[in-house]
Amino acid sequence: MSSQKIQRLLEPPNVSAAHRSALEYFNSNFAHIDDLNGIDQVLSQTKARSSELQRQLSASQQSIDSLITKTRVAALANLDTARGFAEDRESIENEMTYLSYELVSSISPSKSEANPTLLEDIETMHRILKELESVRAYVAVIECTLTLSEGALAQLRATSSPLSKSSTSEYSRLSAFVSDVGQACESVQDIGSTEQSLHLVTFVRRIRDKTWLDIKEIFSTKLNGVLENLQWPMAVDYPAASVHDRKSFESAFKDLILLQEIGDNIEGSTNQGSQGLYPLETLAHAISLRFKYHFETERETNRLDKPEWYLSHIMNVALDHRPFMDNVIQRLLLGTKYQYVNAWQNYITLLVPILERKLRRTVPTLLSHPALLAHTVYQALIFDSSMRELGYEFVVGTEAKKTEEKGGVSSVILCQKEWFDAWLEGEKKFAEDQYHEIISSPDAWVIVDDDSNESDEHKLSRSIAELKATNSARRIKALVEQVTDRYSPLPSFAHRTRFLIHIQLPILEQYYSRVSSSLDAFETLSSALVRAVPGALGVEGPKTDSRKLTGGVEGSQRLCKALLSARYVESAMQRWGEEEFFLELWTEINNQAALRSRAEMHPSLPNSADYQASKNDVPNCTIFEELITQYTKLASRAEDILVSQVCGETESALKPHFVAITSPKDGSDAQNADDGIAVPPSLLPSIALLSAHLTFLRNTLPTAVTTQVYRRIATLISEHILQREVLFRPGLTRGQFRTGLSREQARSVHAESELWAETCQVALRTSRARAEGPWARLLVAGRLLGARRQEVDRAVKEVLGGQGDGWEDALDVATSLGSGGLGKEEVKTVLRLRDDL
C-alpha cells in the first residue's frame, strides 16, 4: 500500500459530504409525503448499518494501528539496510576510482607524473631487450670492422718493398665485410631498424675509408723521408742525387703507384675524391704546407693587396718542377697502369686547389674593396692564361662544361654571381669616374696632332689623318681599350658580353651625347634668335657674346673639336670591330640564343636581322656597327655645321662688296694692282676671313677631311658669287636692249675669281689645280669675261652659233678648265655680258 493511500484512509470523515449525501438520499426517496410511510424501516436499516460500520471502523482502526506499527518497524529496518548499502556503494566507488587511476597509462597526457602500468613495464623491458640485442649485433659489426682495420694496417706496416697484392689481403677482407654489411642492411624490411642500419653502414664505410687513407699515409711517409734527401720541394737536380737516394725514391714512388693500382680493383678503396696519382699527392702536400706557411699565416708575405705573390709562387713551382716531372716521374710511370697520364698535368691539377682555397678565403674580405678585388681577379685571369700558354688544361666539371666554362682559379670568383657582380660594379664605377675625369679635364678639348703613347711602328701603320684628335677622344679610346684589356682574358663569352654592355657601350654612348650636346649648344648660340634678342636662351649679360663664341676662327675651332672627336672615336671603333677579340665575341653572341636576345635588347648593338641576307647567314657587320653609324652621323652633322658656319660668315662679309659693285660709284675707290686690274677693297674682308678659316682648317683637320670640307665650302661660296655677281647681278638687263658689263667690270670679275682661287691655294698650301677645282664655275665665267676678244672668238662662235659639242673644247682653249661645270645656256648668259659682243 502506498503512502498516499494510507494518508487518504487516515483522514477523518467528511461531515458535510455525509450531510449532502443524506439530503440527496431523502430527496430522491422521499420526494412526496406519501413516501414517509417507509421511513421507519429505512431508519432501522440505517441504524443497523451504522452499527456495522462503527464496528468495521473500530476493527479497521485496530488494523490500521497495527499496520502502522509494523510499517514503522519495517521502515526503520529498511532505513538501516539502505544506510549500509550507501556505505558499501561509496566504498565500492572509491575502490573503483583508485583502480581506474591505476589503470591509466603513464604516457597519457592527463597523467604526466604517474608511474607506468605493469603491462607498460613489461612492454618497455621487452623493447629494451630487443634494443640490447640490436646493440650487441651493432657492436659486434663495429668490433669486427675495427679488428679488420687494425689487421690491414698491421699487415701493411710489416710489408717490405716491393708491394704485392697479397699485402692487402686484410684490407680486401675489410672491404668485403663492409660490402656484406651494406647489402644486409639494404635487405632489412623493418622500418624501425632501417635508419639505424643505414647509420651503421655509413660508420663502417668511414672506417674502411679511414683505413685506406692510413695505408696511403704509411707509404707517403716513406716517400716523404726520401724526398727530404732530394731537397724537395726545391727544384730537384735528380742526376746529382746519390744512387741510394734515387733508388729509395723510385722504390717508394712505385710502391704508391702499385698501391693505387691494387686499390682500383678493390671496391670502395679509391672513393676518396682523389684527383691525381698517390705519389704526386705526396709531392703536392709538401708544396701545400709551404704555401700555408708563407701565405696563410701572419707573415709579411700574406698580403691582400699582393695576390700576384702567391699566384706567381705556384707558377714558379710549376715551372721549376716541370723538368723533374717530364724526365723522371713520367719515366717511372712507364709500364704501369698510369703510363698514359701526363705527370706534369696531374701535378698541376693537385696544386690548383691550393690557390682555389686561398681565393675562397680571401675574396669575401675584398668585396668592400673594389680596387683590390679587381686586382685579384685580373691577376687570377693572368695566371690562368699563363698556365694555358704553358700547355696546361684546367679540369672542368660536367656542369661547368654546359656553360662553356674553361675552368681555372679565376672560376672560383667568376662562377660566384655575387662576387662577379661586385667585381663588375667596381669596374663600372672606376670606368665612370675615369670618364668624368676625362671630360672635366681643362685640356679635354685641346686638339693634338701626335700620339706619344703609341709606338713608332704603330704610328707608321696608321695614316696621319688618324693622329689628329682632341685629348678627350684619345683618352676615351684609351679608356675603352683599357677596359677591353681587363676583361679580354675572361673565358666565358657571357661574362665578356656583360662587360661590353655594362661598361664599354655606356662610355661610348655618354661621349656621343656629350659631343652631340656641344653641337646643340653651338646651334643654339648661333641661332638668329640669340643674335637678335640678347639674353635669350640663357645667354645674357655684357660678359657673354654669342658671336665671339660661335663666330670666326674660334667658332670653327669649336666645331672642329666635335668633328675630330667624333671621327677619331668612329675610326677607333672600326678598328676594334675588325679585331679578332671582338669578331669572336660578336660571332658567339649571334650563335648563342641567350646572348643574342640580350644584345637585341640593347639599342647600341646592331640588330643581326638587318645585316643578314637570310636567317642562316652570318651578319655582315661588326659589333660596333650601330655606334659607328651614330658617330658617322654626328661627324657629318659637325661637318655640315662647319661648312654652313664658314659659308655664312663669308657670304655675310661679301654683302658690302655686292652693294659696292652695284652702286653708281663702282670702281671709284678701286685699288690698282700691278697688272692694272682693279680689285675693290670691299672684297678684302671676305677673302681674309675665308683665308683665316682655311688656314685654321689646314692646321687642325686631317688632310682628307680638310680637302672634303674645303670642296664643300668653296663650291657653295663660288656658286653664291657666281649668282650674285655674274648671272643675276643687279643693274644688268637681258634681251635686245641689254646692258652688259663694262670692260673694267668684266676684268674685275676675272681678277676676283682668280684671287679667290689663289687665296685658297696659299691658305691650303696645295697645288693650283686642286685649289681651282671647286671654283671652276666661277673661274670659267671670270675668264670668259676678262679674256680678250680674239681669245674667245672660237668659243663665242661654238656657243652662240654652233650646233655640236665642240663648244666645250673651245671653252677649254679659252679657259683651260673646259666648261667648269657650266651649262651651255649659262655660258651664253656669261658671254652676252661682255660689252664687245
Side-chain angles (χ1 to χ4, degrees), residues 563 566-567 631-641 712:
L563 175 60
R567 291 288 189 197
Y631 272 87
T632 301
K633 294 179 179 178
L634 182 64
S636 299
R637 180 189 173 194
E639 184 178 314
D640 293 341
I641 299 175
R712 295 182 60 186

Side-chain angles (χ1 to χ4, degrees), residues 738 789 792-803 807 824-825 827-834 837:
R738 62 184 176 84
R789 174 62 187 269
V792 297
D793 279 344
R794 181 187 171 190
V796 171
K797 293 178 181 179
E798 291 290 341
V799 173
L800 299 181
Q803 300 296 328
W807 65 274
K824 190 173 184 179
E825 294 299 324
V827 175
K828 290 179 181 180
T829 303
V830 172
L831 291 175
R832 290 189 179 112
L833 292 178
R834 293 177 61 95
L837 292 181

Side-chain angles (χ1 to χ4, degrees), residues 30-73:
F30 301 101
H32 194 271
I33 193 169
D34 292 336
D35 294 334
L36 292 176
N37 292 332
I39 192 170
D40 292 335
Q41 184 181 355
V42 173
L43 181 60
S44 60
Q45 293 177 352
T46 302
K47 288 180 178 180
R49 186 176 180 184
S50 175
S51 299
E52 181 64 23
L53 292 173
Q54 189 65 35
R55 184 185 59 76
Q56 293 179 355
L57 177 62
S58 299
S60 176
Q61 186 66 41
Q62 292 177 357
S63 176
I64 289 171
D65 292 339
S66 175
L67 182 59
I68 290 174
T69 300
K70 292 179 180 179
T71 302
R72 287 179 177 175
V73 172

Side-chain angles (χ1 to χ4, degrees), residues 595-628:
L595 299 182
R596 185 170 60 253
S597 61
R598 181 179 296 180
E600 290 174 351
M601 296 174 60
H602 201 283
S604 294
L605 289 176
N607 188 357
S608 302
D610 298 338
Y611 299 90
Q612 289 176 315
S614 63
K615 292 184 178 180
N616 297 327
D617 292 343
V618 178
N620 186 23
C621 63
T622 64
I623 198 170
F624 295 104
E625 197 69 33
E626 184 64 29
L627 281 173
I628 291 174

